[in-house]
């Protein structure tokens, strides 16, 4: 395929090891959610997106399909799309089908194999689009490949899925500032942000009846066993997710079902019964709260779309 290029800046195994050992040594054991996404983790996330209880995916897709014409107007012709946490690159197809002659697409994702497959499929579906797949951790300083094959109109950074909610508000501000630094005045950023709502809806979304989210959470331990020398016994841990009202976030944890010692490489880690590893936060925002952060990061909050039930929001931010 001559419209696909790949750039592999995937974090090294040594940095994975370092972060896991460091996270498990804390008094509140914690592992960053970016480590969920090995090949199996990405597949499980795709299954989560199909779940009845998981309203964010279908609501965001509905918003994109409803308002893609307005988005295309804002972006204009010959746009260059950059997507953070592109996963299966499904949602971007709605934009690519509507934008006027988009020239390039740069998916950035930490999950190498999954992204490569998604990018190859996309490059095949859109033969006139230059696809530059970048495997990297977007929370680290990014040096994006330069693009000069065709004249570019505006750049658009697309960050769907409310993945920005996995960062705390200070980290989200930092990421938005870093994004702004990749753009010129007048370029845009399109961000999907989950809204504050009845905690019962949130609770159901992260505790699905089929147990897919539980499998996704527990897969982290399997990944550590596989990629490092570790002996987590998955039957001794349980998925635990709840809404922390004070912090406006869903928290996901892995809860130890008994007193136990787990070896990771040559380091023993003791767990008391009921002790947890904190594996994910998913912050929920009001429209105004998110706009205030975007504004602080150097963007003008130009447009926001929400659904009738006020479950999810998509923000179009214009670089000032
Ligand atoms: C919640 S999923 C969203 C996937 C897709 N964008 C969607 O909206 O359905 C998060 C995606 O971001 C990627 N990801 C998570 N943390 C990342 C990081 N720090 N750097 C790069 N990619 C990351 C994951 O591999 C995964 O594909």
């Amino acid at each position: 395929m001559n419209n696909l290029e790949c750039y592999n800046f995937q974090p090294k195994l040594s940095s994975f090891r370092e972060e896991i050992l460091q996270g498990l040594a804390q008094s509140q054991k914690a592992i960053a959610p970016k480590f969920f996404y090995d090949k199996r983790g990405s597949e499980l996330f795709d299954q989560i997106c199909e779940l009845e209880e998981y309203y964010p995916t279908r609501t965001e897709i509905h918003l994109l399909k409803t308002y893609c014409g307005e988005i295309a107007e804002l972006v204009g012709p010959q746009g260059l799309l950059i997507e953070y946490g592109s996963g299966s690159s499904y949602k971007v197809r709605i934009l690519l089908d509507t934008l006027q002659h988009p020239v390039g697409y740069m998916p950035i994702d930490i999950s190498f194999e999954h992204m490569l497959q998604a990018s190859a499929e996309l490059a095949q579906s859109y033969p006139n689009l230059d696809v530059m797949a970048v495997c990297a951790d977007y929370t680290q300083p990014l040096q994006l490949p330069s693009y000069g094959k065709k004249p570019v109109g505006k750049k658009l950074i697309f960050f769907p899925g409310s993945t920005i909610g996995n960062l705390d508000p200070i980290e989200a501000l930092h990421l938005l500032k870093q994004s702004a630094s990749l753009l010129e005045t007048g370029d845009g950023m399109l961000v999907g942000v989950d809204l504050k709502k009845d905690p019962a809806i949130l609770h159901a979304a992260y505790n699905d009846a089929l147990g897919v989210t539980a499998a996704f959470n527990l897969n982290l331990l399997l990944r550590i066993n596989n990629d490092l020398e570790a002996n987590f016994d998955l039957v001794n841990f349980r998925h635990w997710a709840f809404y922390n009202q004070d912090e406006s976030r869903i928290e996901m944890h892995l809860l130890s079902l008994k007193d136990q010692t787990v070896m990771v490489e040559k380091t023993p880690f003791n767990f008391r019964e009921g002790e947890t590893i904190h594996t994910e936060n998913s912050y929920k925002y009001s429209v105004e709260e998110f706009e205030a952060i975007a504004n602080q990061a150097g963007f003008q909050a130009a447009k926001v779309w929400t659904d009738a039930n006020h479950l999810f929001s998509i923000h179009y931010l214009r670089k000032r």
Side-chain angles (χ1 to χ4, degrees):
M1 233 171 296
N2 59 10
N3 62 332
L4 174 65
E5 290 172 11
C6 295
Y7 301 84
N8 189 0
F9 309 119
Q10 191 180 33
K12 300 265 178 299
L13 185 63
S14 56
S15 75
F16 176 60
R17 177 183 297 116
E18 210 172 291
E19 287 202 47
I20 297 299
L21 291 173
Q22 215 171 55
L24 292 177
Q26 293 172 183
S27 53
Q28 168 59 71
K29 295 176 169 65
I31 298 176
K34 64 185 176 190
F35 295 122
F36 281 135
Y37 299 94
D38 62 355
K39 186 165 184 292
R40 177 81 187 127
S42 293
E43 286 163 6
L44 284 165
F45 181 76
D46 282 350
Q47 288 177 31
I48 290 174
C49 292
E50 305 282 321
L51 293 168
E52 182 56 36
E53 298 95 329
Y54 198 72
Y55 63 86
T57 306
R58 64 171 175 279
T59 312
E60 189 176 33
I61 289 173
H62 168 74
L63 287 172
L64 285 171
K65 285 187 173 164
T66 309
Y67 298 109
C68 54
E70 284 184 42
I71 296 168
E73 285 287 312
L74 288 162
V75 177
Q78 291 175 292
L80 174 67
L81 267 76
I82 300 164
E83 182 175 359
Y84 287 167
S86 50
S88 292
S89 288
Y90 174 75
K91 293 169 186 166
V92 76
R93 287 172 180 255
I94 302 167
L95 298 180
L96 291 171
D97 289 342
T98 322
L99 293 182
Q100 304 163 48
H101 308 297
V103 291
Y105 172 55
M106 208 176 281
I108 303 169
D109 203 290
I110 202 163
S111 187
F112 181 66
E113 281 173 274
H114 194 77
M115 185 192 65
L116 213 55
Q117 192 182 332
S119 302
E121 284 167 12
L122 194 110
Q124 200 159 33
S125 308
Y126 298 88
N128 295 323
L129 186 76
D130 293 315
V131 179
M132 294 144 281
V134 180
C135 181
D137 178 350
Y138 55 61
T139 60
Q140 301 302 312
L142 278 177
Q143 183 76 44
L144 293 182
S146 59
Y147 176 75
K149 281 192 189 163
K150 295 174 199 148
V152 173
K154 282 186 193 145
K155 278 192 247 166
L156 179 74
I157 297 182
F158 183 41
F159 196 16
S162 205
T163 310
I164 197 160
N166 294 153
L167 305 173
D168 70 32
I170 303 287
E171 292 166 335
L173 172 65
H174 182 78
L175 183 119
L176 289 178
K177 279 185 179 165
Q178 178 174 295
S179 307
S181 74
L182 301 173
L183 300 174
E184 312 296 327
T185 299
D187 286 343
M189 182 158 184
L190 193 67
V191 194
V193 183
D194 202 8
L195 293 171
K196 288 181 172 168
K197 59 182 63 64
D198 178 356
I201 299 176
L202 290 169
H203 183 87
Y206 292 84
N207 290 282
D208 62 278
L210 292 176
V212 185
T213 311
F216 173 72
N217 198 3
L218 283 159
N219 181 63
L220 183 56
L221 301 183
L222 210 54
R223 177 180 187 186
I224 298 172
N225 283 350
N226 291 340
D227 290 4
L228 306 177
E229 249 179 75
N231 65 352
F232 280 101
D233 189 344
L234 271 60
V235 298
N236 293 332
F237 287 87
R238 184 167 70 73
H239 165 71
W240 183 40
F242 61 91
Y243 187 59
N244 179 335
Q245 190 103 38
D246 291 342
E247 299 286 346
S248 305
R249 69 187 188 203
I250 282 281
E251 291 187 17
M252 288 210 323
H253 294 250
L254 288 162
L255 182 131
S256 176
L257 295 174
K258 60 179 208 177
D259 291 349
Q260 55 183 316
T261 301
V262 176
M263 296 298 294
V264 181
E265 309 266 285
K266 292 189 170 57
T267 310
F269 291 99
N270 296 321
F271 289 82
R272 281 171 283 103
E273 182 180 342
E275 189 178 352
T276 70
I277 310 173
H278 189 170
T279 53
E280 186 181 88
N281 288 321
S282 184
Y283 282 83
K284 310 302 168 189
Y285 291 95
S286 68
V287 164
E288 296 73 25
E289 284 167 344
F290 188 75
E291 284 181 347
I293 296 179
N295 192 41
Q296 228 184 316
F299 286 101
Q300 175 209 352
K303 187 86 205 182
V304 61
W305 300 275
T306 63
D307 57 294
N309 297 320
H310 220 66
L311 295 173
F312 202 87
S313 58
I314 298 182
H315 294 256
Y316 182 84
L317 313 175
R318 188 179 289 121
K319 160 111 184 232
R320 283 202 302 265

